[in-house]
Amino acid sequence: MITNTKNNDVTMIKLDHLFLSEHNVRVAPASKQVNKTLKASIKANGIKQNLVVMPEGSKYGVVAGGRRLAQLHELLADGDINSSFLVPCMVEKAENIRAISLSENIKASMHPADEFVAFQGMVDEGKTVADIANEFGISQVLVKKRLKMAGVSVELLDFYRQGKIDLEHIMAFTVSDDHERQMACYKELSTHYMSVHGIRNFLLDTALLTSHGMV
């Protein structure tokens, strides 16, 4: 199934033995044009940067290089390559895999929301703020800010990925840890005008929804 190269640095793995791992921290997709360019590059020149994978059952989950994997599958569907196409991969153990995926994806203009969630996942796995700051060469203050933004509701982070709200809105929502109230705020303000000032006022005050019976 696999052929090792020297020093075990890179392993050649058949395409049909690879799948996108749930441990891959990238959620927001790249633009169609970026993917089109990547596909053309792979078709013309092959894979120039190895994927990062981890053993998962009888196959290998891709934790960094999901975009390259997707374009390989498109080339497979087009008939340009077959399922036995050998893909250069770096095989990693499960330990610290989230940090590895984050480090690799940051290089490829990762969406900030995915970075926030990945940092929180590292904390959940036992990393400290100082650990994360040292690993990525950033300040602890910046790590804390990103972790704070990871605390908004999942729905709001998805809206951010979709472009329905921006980073300033996400920052405004962090004044409250109450996800239910965050979503009530979004629902209330999205019907007319959603300003940073309005979000903060809503979440910090005891404002009633306009649909509330008392109003």
Side-chain angles (χ1 to χ4, degrees), residues 19-195:
F19 67 95
L20 185 64
S21 173
E22 64 178 12
H23 297 289
N24 191 307
V25 298
R26 180 184 289 273
V27 176
S31 70
K32 291 182 179 180
Q33 183 56 50
V34 168
N35 285 334
K36 183 178 179 180
T37 301
L38 177 60
K39 179 180 177 181
S41 174
I42 293 174
K43 183 177 180 179
N45 306 305
I47 298 288
K48 295 301 182 183
Q49 180 183 0
N50 65 267
L51 282 62
V52 180
V53 305
M54 62 180 289
E56 296 189 46
S58 61
K59 297 189 177 183
Y60 293 84
V62 176
V63 296
R67 289 176 53 241
R68 277 161 279 161
L69 178 65
Q71 298 315 306
L72 284 170
H73 281 147
E74 286 208 11
L75 290 171
L76 174 63
D78 293 344
D80 293 312
I81 59 176
N82 59 42
S83 60
S84 295
F85 181 84
L86 293 176
V87 183
C89 299
M90 180 85 71
V91 181
E92 296 284 352
K93 296 181 179 179
E95 296 83 359
N96 210 34
I97 202 66
R98 191 185 301 272
I100 293 170
S101 180
L102 177 57
S103 178
E104 289 293 318
N105 277 296
I106 282 178
K107 299 175 185 176
S109 300
M110 183 180 181
H111 194 284
D114 295 342
E115 188 176 333
F116 303 158
V117 174
F119 275 22
Q120 184 58 58
M122 293 175 68
V123 170
D124 294 341
E125 292 170 355
K127 295 279 188 178
T128 66
V129 169
D131 291 335
I132 298 172
N134 290 334
E135 190 156 349
F136 293 97
I138 57 179
S139 70
Q140 293 188 40
V141 172
L142 183 55
V143 173
K144 289 177 181 178
K145 286 182 178 178
R146 291 175 179 175
L147 289 172
K148 185 69 173 177
M149 287 185 278
V152 303
S153 73
V154 173
E155 293 89 347
L156 288 174
L157 288 178
D158 280 340
F159 292 156
Y160 177 32
R161 292 184 181 101
Q162 296 163 22
K164 294 181 179 179
I165 56 178
D166 59 28
L167 181 60
E168 289 189 348
H169 291 132
I170 291 293
M171 292 174 66
F173 277 111
T174 64
V175 300
S176 171
D177 295 328
D178 187 336
H179 288 183
E180 184 176 345
R181 189 158 182 81
Q182 287 176 0
M183 293 310 300
C185 174
Y186 176 84
K187 183 177 180 180
E188 181 78 2
L189 298 184
S190 63
T191 59
H192 42 284
Y193 175 67
M194 184 176 300
S195 68

